[in-house]
Amino acid sequence: MDSAWDQTLSRSPDPVGRFAAPPGVRGLLRRFAAGRARQGSPGAAVDARVRHMSLALGRVAVLAALAAAMAAAASWFWTVRSHEVAAHDAAGVALEFVERRLAAVELELAMLSRSAELPVTLDACPPPLVARLLEQSLESSLVRRFDVVQVGAALRCEPGGARTGKPLDELPPGGLSIAAGSHAGTRPTVRRPMGGAMVLQATLEPTALALAQSALPLDLQALPVRIDVRSPQAGGLRIRDSRPRPGQTGPALLATVNSTQYHVGVQVQIDRADLEDAVRRNMAWSVAAALCVVAASVVGFWQRALRRARLPHRLASGLRKRQFVPYVQPIVDLATGHCVGGEVLMRWQHPHRGVLGPAEFIGEAERSGLIVGMSDLTMTQAARRLAALAQQRAGLYFSFNVTPLQLRQPDFARRLVEIFGPDTIPADRVLLELTEREFVDAETRGTLAHLADVGWRFAIDDFGTGHSSLAALEKLTIQRIKIDRAFVRTIDEGTVNRPVLDAIIGLAEQLGVPLIAEGVETPSQRDYLIARGVRHAQGFLMARPMPLDAFEAWLGEHAEPAPTPGPASPAADLKAHAQALWHALQASGGVAINDRRHRLTVHRQCFVGREAVDWIVTRTGTSRADAVRIGRLLVSQDRIRHVVSEHDFEDDDYFYRFVEPVTEARDSPPVEDLRLALRAIGEQTRRSHARGLLRFHGCASGRGIVDALCARYAVPRSKASQWAAQMMRSGALRHVFDDRPFHDDRTLYRIT
């Protein structure tokens, strides 16, 4: 995890130190890094760690500042724009209110003109007219006073009688008009021509055209606006809904809407101080939201880095639970097609994701040093399971990849002797594959020489891609040279590297070392190699890597036609004992199977390893060592399993369970047919899926896969889910990024 910590924080080194954390933060980081160093974490020195951490925090700060600036600018634009739209909406609402009030006043003026007899000239005010004006003024809720005036005359008729005032200079235009009246800005006057020079006018109440804030829609009531009603005829009549507050600096936004029915318009003003307050409030929330998004993104990427850093912990857990299993890719004779051997490869048998290839874990396993234990487990399981095949078939050998870290182990030679022997795979049937760098590495040359002296055989893997040392080839006997797949691929590509392939073939012929071509995938590659004398090869054209049981079945069809029968081998006898004893141990009179308790945990229906060894010794008369070997063979065949999958079979007080062989789901199509069906389904269901802030391309949901299987095979959803889970265990399906099992829901999977 510490190495990933360093790599994550130093992916883009900045030698000049820009975007670094401030000095105070760097001091805290220095103390934190020093504490981690005191805890024994490997990695760079404290100063380098502080520099990387400071650089990372500085870049996070710059990212946060950029996000905050963009959020502030977006907030300002959005606030101003939203206030403009809201002011225009408020002006529209206010204009509708004013038009309704003016329409009501216009109706009252029309009713008054019909009910009252207006004189042709206004020489005096008739008592009936004065009485009617008084009655209408008392009944109206919008008009304070109705009166009649004549253009050019100083006399006017009011509810109180005749009165002399300023004469009306000109006749108002047709229809209703609004004027300032005697109390401009508070009591507007509405006028309507009545024929000739006579004009009927109404002095409105101060609140007649004043729109209350509560009359606005709910989404506009909180808007700090001032609503003014203006009349172009009166030079701008103005009615304020709210008085200016102290500290207001003038309008920042103006929205004007003019009526098409009356000579009036409504203007909505938003004060600059109110707008600035709204901008500041929204900007604070926007910046906080942007910083939260940045923090969430940083945490997400950091968690992804930590997940990668925690891969060694998952690998260590998988090694402890013995989840790494051997696969075999056959090596065949190109001329006859018969199998002459097999390369043992490592796979991770993940409990949910199925079989994982080496690209998922080998690099991290080598960096963390776990590759030693993983290789040891793989070789041990393969040696037990393949022992009978190697001893029964003359000439059949198995090759195992060896890493430089294994060669540097002081007990590596002793472990080879313990793993490979007369009751497993004999040493003369074992081929240790090493890359070219091991032959030029000074630390490993001594180990290789010692192994060669005691009889171990070697093969050079991926020949031609490393730093070849011809002197090392002459000093150390090499039994095989494996041509890298990159050179085999050039046969079909027709590139200039084909002479290199021919040179490798010629060099091996001169050295007298047999060749094995890797990655043979097409008949043209096979024919080219046969024509140039390369006898053995491996690749997808012949067979893919397969489990050991599948390899044993495949070997029965591709072995020599009449293998020479030999005496029963110790491995064959051991395998026969194991198969028979597995059934006998579970039968009546076998080993005691009960619920066992260890500390606070109860393990259901298990047996004790020491008691099983006692039972085998008593029943068969073999030694305790042979009984343990039988138990370990059953463990390698997954017939016996430790209760927590952390121990091999031991002559000790460990608890074990019997395991029934895993079978395919009932009525399930063949695995290869189902794999082809899933690929066909994938072409129809794979697309881009969004999950939160992430988008996954080329994948399908669990529900979509189950729907497609149900439609293709006409089976219920439960059975289709079983098939999909089975294919996930076989590696045909995998979750997009985590370790969850298959679910019939929106969970996303990739079809491999």
Side-chain angles (χ1 to χ4, degrees):
M1 178 172 179
D2 297 300
S3 60
W5 174 287
D6 293 333
Q7 294 171 7
T8 304
L9 297 180
S10 60
R11 287 178 180 170
S12 302
D14 193 346
V16 299
R18 58 184 180 272
F19 306 148
V25 176
R26 287 198 295 270
L28 293 175
L29 295 177
R30 182 178 297 277
R31 290 193 291 274
F32 174 72
R36 286 175 58 86
R38 286 193 296 272
Q39 294 173 9
S41 61
V46 173
D47 290 338
R49 189 183 297 276
V50 170
R51 183 170 60 255
H52 294 323
M53 296 168 67
S54 175
L55 184 62
L57 289 181
R59 287 173 176 166
V60 170
V62 171
L63 179 62
L66 291 176
M70 295 177 62
S75 175
W76 176 86
F77 177 82
W78 178 83
T79 303
V80 173
R81 179 59 181 165
S82 62
H83 277 65
E84 287 178 352
V85 173
H88 190 274
D89 294 341
V93 173
L95 181 62
E96 293 177 0
F97 171 83
V98 171
E99 287 179 340
R100 288 195 301 269
R101 292 294 177 90
L102 291 178
V105 174
E106 183 180 19
L107 179 61
E108 292 183 9
L109 289 174
M111 294 173 59
L112 180 62
S113 65
R114 287 193 297 269
S115 62
E117 296 181 0
L118 299 180
V120 178
T121 59
L122 201 62
D123 298 332
C125 294
L129 176 61
V130 173
R132 184 70 185 94
L133 292 175
L134 178 60
E135 180 185 1
Q136 188 68 26
S137 299
L138 293 176
E139 291 178 356
S140 177
S141 61
L142 298 177
V143 179
R144 172 163 292 193
R145 184 183 72 250
F146 290 93
D147 52 6
V148 179
V149 299
Q150 183 178 359
V151 177
L155 183 67
R156 65 179 61 192
C157 293
E158 295 182 351
R163 180 185 174 190
T164 302
K166 183 178 178 181
L168 190 62
D169 297 333
E170 60 182 2
L171 190 67
L176 201 68
S177 63
I178 187 168
S182 59
H183 301 278
T186 58
R187 297 178 185 176
T189 300
V190 177
R191 294 170 179 160
R192 180 182 180 185
M194 303 305 298
M198 303 303 294
V199 176
L200 184 61
Q201 64 180 17
T203 302
L204 303 182
E205 292 286 350
T207 59
L209 300 182
L211 179 65
Q213 199 83 2
S214 59
L216 293 174
L218 293 177
D219 57 336
L220 299 178
Q221 289 183 8
L223 196 66
V225 297
R226 288 188 298 160
I227 303 174
D228 297 335
V229 180
R230 298 179 179 272
S231 175
Q233 293 178 339
L237 177 65
R238 181 174 175 180
I239 300 176
R240 294 191 179 94
D241 178 64
S242 58
R243 297 186 178 277
R245 298 189 303 274
Q248 286 186 331
T249 57
L253 292 176
L254 294 175
T256 303
V257 180
N258 295 317
S259 174
T260 59
Q261 187 176 359
Y262 303 103
H263 301 285
V264 70
V266 173
Q267 185 181 76
V268 172
Q269 302 180 11
I270 297 180
D271 192 83
R272 181 175 290 106
D274 294 329
L275 182 61
E276 290 174 354
D277 289 343
V279 168
R280 282 193 293 269
R281 288 194 303 270
N282 292 337
M283 191 175 295
W285 285 107
S286 300
V287 170
L291 293 179
C292 289
V293 171
V294 171
S297 301
V298 171
V299 169
F301 285 113
W302 186 254
Q303 287 180 343
R304 182 179 178 183
L306 289 181
R307 280 197 300 268
R308 294 190 61 181
R310 286 196 296 267
L311 180 57
H313 297 280
R314 297 203 301 271
L315 291 177
S317 176
L319 176 60
R320 187 175 65 253
K321 295 180 180 298
R322 307 174 63 82
Q323 294 174 355
F324 297 95
V325 297
Y327 268 49
V328 176
Q329 185 172 29
I331 301 173
V332 302
D333 189 317
L334 289 176
T336 63
H338 297 151
C339 180
V340 297
E343 180 181 2
V344 178
L345 305 170
M346 185 189 304
R347 295 294 185 265
W348 187 358
Q349 185 67 55
H350 198 280
H352 301 311
R353 294 177 58 189
V355 181
L356 304 183
E360 297 263 359
F361 58 87
I362 283 295
E364 190 61 44
E366 291 180 345
R367 285 190 294 270
S368 61
L370 294 172
I371 190 64
V372 175
M374 293 159 58
S375 299
D376 187 89
L377 174 62
T378 303
M379 288 192 297
T380 301
Q381 292 179 329
R384 296 172 184 170
R385 297 278 303 280
L386 298 173
L389 292 178
Q391 295 176 4
Q392 290 173 358
R393 298 183 179 273
L396 187 67
Y397 66 91
F398 294 96
S399 62
F400 297 83
N401 291 282
V402 177
T403 65
L405 197 56
Q406 289 177 274
L407 294 175
R408 295 189 181 99
Q409 301 298 314
D411 61 341
F412 180 64
R414 179 183 61 81
R415 285 295 300 147
L416 289 177
V417 174
E418 292 178 356
I419 294 173
F420 303 107
D423 57 345
T424 57
I425 301 179
D428 60 348
R429 304 292 182 86
V430 175
L431 197 62
L432 303 179
E433 293 190 11
L434 307 100
T435 59
E436 297 175 52
R437 58 181 176 176
E438 278 80 67
F439 291 96
V440 299
D441 189 352
E443 295 185 31
T444 62
R445 278 203 299 265
T447 303
L448 293 177
H450 171 69
L451 293 175
D453 291 340
V454 296
W456 294 100
R457 306 190 308 159
F458 301 102
I460 301 180
D461 194 13
D462 301 335
F463 186 80
T465 60
H467 304 282
S468 301
S469 176
L470 299 181
L473 293 179
E474 293 181 350
K475 293 180 180 179
L476 190 64
T477 302
I478 302 299
Q479 277 69 35
R480 298 288 190 278
I481 292 178
K482 304 189 73 173
I483 306 173
D484 186 75
R485 66 183 67 247
F487 299 108
V488 175
R489 194 178 300 119
T490 61
I491 297 174
D492 291 334
E493 295 174 354
T495 63
V496 296
N497 290 329
R498 187 182 295 179
V500 178
L501 173 62
D502 296 337
I504 294 175
I505 296 174
L507 175 63
E509 184 178 358
Q510 293 181 5
L511 293 174
V513 180
L515 284 172
I516 301 175
E518 296 182 300
V520 178
E521 299 179 355
T522 62
S524 60
Q525 295 174 353
R526 177 193 58 197
D527 297 340
Y528 185 91
L529 295 170
I530 292 176
R532 280 154 181 77
V534 179
R535 291 188 56 191
H536 299 156
Q538 62 185 97
F540 291 172
L541 180 63
M542 286 72 71
R544 292 175 175 268
M546 60 189 74
L548 301 189
D549 291 338
F551 171 73
E552 185 173 359
W554 182 91
L555 184 64
E557 300 177 359
H558 297 82
E560 292 289 339
T564 303
S569 62
D573 293 339
L574 189 64
K575 184 176 181 180
H577 277 300
Q579 295 289 347
L581 290 175
W582 181 74
H583 294 283
L585 282 167
Q586 305 174 71
S588 177
V591 67
I593 302 175
N594 298 306
D595 293 344
R596 312 280 178 170
R597 180 184 297 273
H598 178 66
R599 295 179 181 174
L600 299 178
T601 304
V602 177
H603 301 282
R604 303 292 181 186
Q605 296 300 298
C606 53
F607 62 92
V608 181
R610 190 186 306 279
E611 295 177 0
V613 171
D614 293 339
W615 187 91
I616 294 174
V617 170
T618 302
R619 180 183 177 92
T620 63
T622 60
S623 64
R624 300 190 71 87
D626 289 338
V628 171
R629 281 196 289 271
I630 292 174
R632 290 180 175 176
L633 179 60
L634 291 174
V635 169
S636 66
Q637 296 174 347
D638 203 23
R639 300 295 184 89
I640 291 177
R641 188 181 302 166
H642 187 257
V643 289
V644 290
S645 301
E646 293 186 356
H647 293 283
D648 203 347
F649 187 81
E650 301 289 348
D651 185 8
D652 207 337
D653 294 328
Y654 292 144
F655 299 156
Y656 300 90
R657 292 193 181 99
F658 293 108
V659 181
E660 292 294 334
V662 178
T663 58
E664 297 183 1
R666 189 175 181 181
D667 300 331
S668 170
V671 173
E672 193 58 33
D673 291 348
L674 198 55
R675 183 188 295 270
L676 295 176
L678 279 179
R679 290 179 180 174
I681 292 170
E683 298 300 328
Q684 305 171 6
T685 61
R686 280 186 295 185
R687 57 185 180 86
S688 296
H689 297 264
R691 293 292 185 270
L693 298 177
L694 300 178
R695 179 169 291 276
F696 300 92
H697 300 282
C699 53
S701 67
R703 185 175 296 121
I705 293 173
V706 173
D707 290 341
L709 288 175
C710 291
R712 185 182 183 91
Y713 292 102
V715 295
R717 299 191 69 85
S718 58
K719 188 175 293 295
S721 297
Q722 293 177 5
W723 293 355
Q726 172 184 319
M727 295 309 297
M728 192 172 185
R729 289 191 297 269
S730 67
L733 280 178
R734 55 171 298 182
H735 194 276
V736 287
F737 61 87
D738 64 11
D739 299 341
R740 287 181 290 178
F742 183 83
H743 292 288
D744 181 10
D745 55 13
R746 296 176 67 247
T747 307
L748 299 180
Y749 302 90
R750 299 194 187 280
I751 301 174
T752 58

